[in-house]
Amino acid sequence: MGKLVRLELYNFKSYKGHHVLLFGDAHFTSIIGPNGSGKSNSMDAISFVLGIKSSHLRSTHLRDLIYRGRILKTSKIQADGTAAAEHDHEDGVNRTANGNAGMDGEEEEVDMSSQRNDATTAWVMAVYEDDVGEEQRWKRTIMNSGHSEYQVNNRKVSANVYNEILEAENILVKARNFLVFQGDVENVASQSPKDLTRLVEQISGSLEHKADYDRLQVESEKAAEDQQFKLNQRRGINAEIKQYQEQKKEAENFNRKAEERDDAVVTHVLWKLYQFQRLIEESGAEIQRHQDELKEHKRNVEKYENKLEESKKDQAKAGKEVAKSERTIKSTEKDIDEKMHDLVPIDEKIDLSNKNLEKYRKRIDEIKKEKKSQSKSVDDIKQNLSKVTKAQSKWEADFKKAAESEGRQLSDKDLQEYNNLRTEVNKKAATSQIKVDNLVRQRKTDEETVNNLRSSVEASERQIQKLQSESAEIQERHENHNSQAKQYSSDIDTKKKDFNQMTSKRLQAAQRRTELDERLQQVLQKLIEADDGRRQSEKQVRARETVASMKRIFPGVKGRLHELCKPKQKKFETAVSTVLGRNFDSIIVDTEKTAKDCITWLRDQQAGQATFIPLETIQVKAVSSNLKGMHKKMTLAIDTINYDHALEPAMSYACGNAMVCDDLETAKFFCYQKNIEARAVTLEGTVIHKGGLMTGGRGPNDNSNRKWADSEVENLRKQKDKLMADLADLPQGHKAVTDEENLQAELSGLEQRLAYAQQEMKALEKNQQSKKKELQFVQKQLKESKPKFEENSKNLATLQDRIEEFQQEVSAVEDGLFGAFCTRLGYENIRAYEAQQGALQQEGAQKKLEFSTQRSKLENQLTFESGRLQSTKDRIKSLEEQSKRDDDLIASLRDEKQAMEEELVEIRNSLEETKARLQQQRQNHDEKSEKVSEARKQVQKRNKDAQFLHDSLTKLESDINRTASQRYGLLRKCKMEQVKVPLTNDSAPLDSLPIDDAGSGQRDPEAMDVDDEEENLNAAEAIRDYGIEVSFDDLDDDLKDDPSDDQDKTLKTRVETLTAELTTLNPNMRALERLTVAENRLKTTDKDYESARKLARQTKEAFEDVRDRRTDLFNKAFEHISSQIDPVYKALTRSQNSPMGGKAYLDAMGADDEAPFLGGLKYHAMPPLKRFRDMDALSGGEKTIAALALLFALHSYAPSPFFVLDEVDAALDNANVSKVARYIREHARPGMQFIVISLKTGLFQESETLVGVLRDQAANSSRAVTLDLRKYQPT
């Protein structure tokens, strides 16, 4: 392999003009130079000429790499040698000082030359010598347009050709296997497993197959999915074909059964129509006779009914007046109760205020006594203080006289000698004596200070003891009052709770009474307005009485179904009645046993038949949740009624899965388009059954809506009875008011005692707080005084020792000079003489100290007692203010009480007047009620005979109308279900029968106006046949002569049996058509499946081929790097202390044998003599060594002819720098050239050639100088 001989630069970055960096034949070259000289620009030049993008060269655009000579006065030189403005623009980019757009035009520019001659192009040329010794010149130029131009041996080539020529020399631009930028070393070792894998892929060349790998993988997976989809599609079609073949057989069988069922239906219809025709003809004449008789009876009853109506109106009017007066009386009584209730707390407040006033007065008297005692104490202290002052003055005069009389006098000669000797002593011991005098004066001052502090400490301690004792006493009193207050509060809460409950019960009872009265009046008014003489058929009356009897006898009987539920809206009444159908009058019971007992009772009483629904054993099918919310105009029948949830099983059974629809179109959509097997009922009563049959209309006997109204009237009567019973059960309020007043009095007394206890507690708390503050203040004073006292006492003792020390020096001088003088005069020493004279002075000082201490004690006591006296005066003032406020409160309460009593008198007078008026109104109401009763008796008496005729007529009309309705319903059903009924030749076709005109000419069987001329028609003539005449020729005579229910049951059973068989078959009538379509689809799908299978096989083979090639390249590189990295790391970390060096290895994480490049690679390095740690936990130097080992191992797999390192030793210490230098020196050889940019002496001193880069300030350019160190190395 060759080597890089030299590097030529022209106007590149900080290099102005043409420059040459000569590497020669050296295999280890170091580029050195000071910071800012442009040595890193040489690294950028090598990277640039070898095809690295400008974004990796610390520049945004290629034009930024061209040399710029002009600089600003405000600019500075950057590390790469270019000039930049001192201030940064907001975009974070330092603009080079070349007058770029965005510079302030006011800045003054300075040209480095006399003429403005900025470079517009730049180039870098690398001269490379190959193995055979021939030079290759690789040149890259930056053109004026900002793009690059590539040349090889002065021949212009494209970027791809240029890159291929470099790769031929194993210089991989994409992998950058020939250089390491500054600062990238640590990042190499710390990069993530995925990034390290990508780096190995770049080195191995497997990354070039990544695009094909990803594309073919997606295509292979998509082809496999398509193949599986086509396979599943073919299987599904085969299953459909098999299913349609079976459904075809079922459809043929269904058609045979349907023909048999149609014949049975026609026979059953003819039999029923024949029986209907017979009944209608027999009942016609009987109805006409009853109508004539009833007409005469109605004329007689009419005049009595008019009288009854007038009496009812008068009675209702009188009742309203009575109710109004009663409400007025109740309201007035309520106002009186409220006023009386308001008077009670006012009296209690007046009593409480009087008691408080008396308490305040007593308290003021007690405190005034304390004040008098405290004033006397202050006066006594002042007198004692005056006496002590006088005694001190007298003693000072006496002491002066005694001192003058007791002093011993010397002769003038001795005195002269004493003075001379003292003068001599003062001269010899002047220094010591001065110190003694100064210290003695200081001692006197300190003694006074210590005495004052001692007095202050003792006074503070006494004061603390006193305050603590008083505080404990106050705390005990506060706890006693607090205990009493808690007890009072507990009693008050209990009493209040009882009082509130009592008041609440009374108010609730009163409110309940008012509500019940109002509701009762409303119910009575509704009953009066309703037709109280409502006529009901004898059968309905008996049925209702029968159910009522069963309810009394059997507790498990709940009632009839239509009485236990009610439509949520009036528009649902017809639909709900139709849905309930035969279960409309069914009786709901709790258990099957209750139902059997009821059936037995009905049989014994001969009370007819009834259908029972036991809640315990009824079987209910769950309604599909899909039916809810299917359409905004559809609602489940069970959701249209209100009922007790305990009856839900019975309601669900009766309603089933029926759906209530707003109109017929919605019902058809539900049954026909959605094809849902459920009944659909419209609001008009039209029904579409599960099998698709449609029925509808309203018959003459369809009185279900009337039953809902009857149920409402019955409910009103029950409400009236219940309301009257509830009114009778309500308690009377007189006793409750008395109990409330007694409880209120007890409560007021407790509140008064609680208030007194709370006030005492507040006063004690204030006093306690005052004591605490005073105690804290005294404790603070003691805390401050005691350390001072101890410190001053200690200083005084030290001062005394110093005085004695200096005094001994003075005494030694005195003994030497005064020895003969003292012997002659008979003194032991001169100090004995002077002590005699000083004893009097000491006695006087002691006496002065005693007087001073006594005066200080009295003054402190006087200050304390004066403070207590002032506090007592403040308490008296506060109590007097509270007493005045209570006086004002009592006066205002008395005025308020008087006003309320006057208002109460007026309300009571008004109440008496209202009660008198109520008595008259009640008498009037009773008279009106008697008239109503008499009129009702007259009407009932005359209606008795008419009722019998009416009931008979109603029964006959009901029977004939029911029969006609059944005939019409049957014909309409035949029309809707397209049953082919045989008709006579003169008959109108069945299609002419109207669907929604049933009973238009028929009368309400419960209507009373049977005597109207226009309705007094023959019943047979009122029945419309719509011109339809049925031919009964095909009906057997045996069937005509047998109208029994057994015959009907037999015919119906035959139809139901055939229908049930058809229902179980449920064939798909379009099976043949769908079978043909499915077979055609299978042929097309088979072709698609074969194409998809072929494509999947081809894409899979192509993908596996690319995967294997990529895997081989990756594994080859990984195995080589894994085997080289540990020896390289050991070589870099080996030393005398650790000759074996460290340990490093690569670990494959989550790798797959077939695709190892999809996993991650983890790099581990363990420095010598250290335990294993993660790469991030290594130091900067350790991390750099590990990174270099990895880089060298990577480089060893696909080595480029030269390796450029930019300041990789920045984080290394000298020892590690030496190791790296040794490694590079050992491996630098032909075919392996190292070019290192470094500032470390330990590295570049081991190189063979030095390239020095310096800054030529005069030319404003970087320069390079080459030095061959091999000339200076020892051989």
Side-chain angles (χ1 to χ4, degrees), residues 170 929 1011 1245:
N170 211 21
S929 298
D1011 57 344
Q1245 70 182 2

Side-chain angles (χ1 to χ4, degrees), residues 18 104 132 138 232 356 437 497 606 1014 1105 1208 1213 1246:
H18 184 266
D104 192 348
V132 297
W138 303 327
N232 293 335
N356 288 339
D437 294 340
K497 185 176 180 181
Q606 296 182 355
E1014 65 275 13
D1105 181 59
V1208 296
D1213 56 9
E1246 296 293 331

Side-chain angles (χ1 to χ4, degrees), residues 504-667:
S504 177
K505 288 180 180 178
R506 180 176 62 79
L507 294 177
Q508 288 177 358
Q511 184 179 2
R512 179 65 175 166
R513 184 182 297 277
T514 303
E515 293 176 355
L516 291 176
D517 285 337
E518 293 177 355
R519 290 170 57 188
L520 181 59
Q521 292 298 327
Q522 293 174 359
V523 172
L524 290 174
Q525 185 64 29
K526 289 180 180 179
L527 286 174
I528 291 172
E529 293 174 355
D531 184 11
D532 192 43
R534 196 177 189 84
R535 292 174 294 279
Q536 298 175 343
S537 68
E538 182 180 356
K539 182 179 180 181
Q540 292 173 347
V541 174
R542 285 201 308 269
R544 186 167 58 251
E545 291 176 352
T546 300
V547 174
S549 299
M550 285 191 292
K551 282 185 178 180
R552 291 192 300 270
I553 297 171
F554 304 106
V557 177
K558 307 298 182 182
R560 290 188 291 182
L561 189 144
H562 76 271
E563 294 174 347
L564 298 175
C565 67
K566 185 177 181 181
K568 293 182 177 179
Q569 299 182 29
K570 193 171 183 63
K571 68 176 183 178
F572 292 135
E573 289 182 352
T574 301
V576 172
S577 301
T578 305
V579 170
L580 297 181
R582 59 188 177 86
N583 293 315
F584 192 85
D585 290 320
S586 297
I587 301 172
I588 300 176
V589 297
D590 55 353
T591 62
E592 185 178 357
K593 182 179 182 302
T594 303
K596 292 179 179 178
D597 294 341
C598 291
I599 292 172
T600 303
W601 184 83
L602 289 173
R603 186 172 58 250
D604 294 342
Q605 299 294 325
Q606 296 182 355
Q609 297 179 348
T611 301
F612 294 90
I613 302 177
L615 296 173
E616 183 182 30
T617 58
I618 193 70
Q619 299 294 328
V620 180
K621 294 182 179 180
V623 179
S624 174
S625 59
N626 295 330
L627 297 179
K628 295 185 178 180
M630 181 177 291
H631 196 282
K632 64 180 181 180
K633 291 186 178 182
M634 294 190 295
T635 309
L636 279 171
I638 191 68
D639 295 334
T640 62
I641 57 175
N642 291 320
Y643 57 89
D644 187 353
H645 286 286
L647 308 176
E648 185 171 3
M651 300 300 171
S652 299
Y653 169 77
C655 295
N657 60 353
M659 183 72 72
V660 176
C661 304
D662 289 358
D663 49 43
L664 186 58
E665 293 299 326
T666 305

Side-chain angles (χ1 to χ4, degrees), residues 282-298 945-960 1003 1007-1012 1015-1019:
E282 291 176 355
S283 302
E286 190 69 19
I287 290 175
Q288 184 63 39
R289 185 176 63 82
H290 281 79
Q291 286 178 344
D292 294 339
E293 294 178 1
L294 188 61
K295 180 179 179 181
E296 184 65 26
H297 280 284
K298 183 178 180 182
D945 296 335
Q947 183 65 38
F948 176 77
L949 291 173
H950 176 268
D951 291 344
S952 300
L953 178 62
T954 301
K955 184 175 184 303
L956 289 171
E957 289 180 343
S958 176
D959 292 342
I960 195 171
R1003 299 163 52 247
M1008 284 296 296
D1009 45 1
V1010 295
D1011 57 344
D1012 293 348
E1015 294 185 2
N1016 191 11
L1017 303 175
N1018 186 281

Side-chain angles (χ1 to χ4, degrees), residues 748-773:
S748 300
L750 288 172
E751 289 177 345
Q752 185 178 6
R753 289 192 288 273
L754 176 62
Y756 173 74
Q758 290 176 344
Q759 289 176 357
E760 285 295 320
M761 288 170 59
K762 289 180 180 179
L764 291 172
E765 288 173 357
K766 290 181 180 179
N767 196 5
Q768 181 73 302
Q769 291 177 358
S770 176
K771 294 294 182 185
K772 286 183 178 179
K773 289 181 180 179

Side-chain angles (χ1 to χ4, degrees), residues 295-343:
K295 180 179 179 181
E296 184 65 26
H297 280 284
K298 183 178 180 182
R299 292 193 185 97
N300 295 330
V301 173
E302 190 176 37
K303 63 179 180 179
Y304 289 100
E305 287 181 343
N306 293 333
K307 291 181 181 179
L308 178 61
E309 291 299 326
E310 293 177 358
S311 300
K312 284 181 178 180
K313 293 180 180 179
D314 295 339
Q315 181 191 18
K317 184 177 180 181
K320 291 180 179 179
E321 293 176 353
V322 170
K324 182 179 180 181
S325 298
E326 288 178 346
R327 288 195 296 271
T328 303
I329 291 173
K330 290 179 180 178
S331 176
T332 307
E333 290 177 346
K334 184 177 179 181
D335 293 340
I336 292 173
D337 292 340
E338 291 177 354
K339 296 295 181 184
M340 293 296 295
H341 181 267
D342 294 339
L343 281 174

Side-chain angles (χ1 to χ4, degrees), residues 456 460 776-787:
S456 176
S460 297
Q776 291 174 356
F777 177 75
V778 175
Q779 288 175 342
K780 182 179 179 181
Q781 284 184 334
L782 178 61
K783 186 176 180 181
E784 294 175 354
S785 301
K786 197 166 185 179

Side-chain angles (χ1 to χ4, degrees), residues 1-3 128-136 168-169 1201 1230-1231:
M1 300 179 72
K3 60 178 179 293
Y128 175 77
E129 184 179 299
D130 56 16
D131 295 336
V132 297
E134 295 182 358
E135 287 188 354
Q136 296 185 27
E169 298 296 332

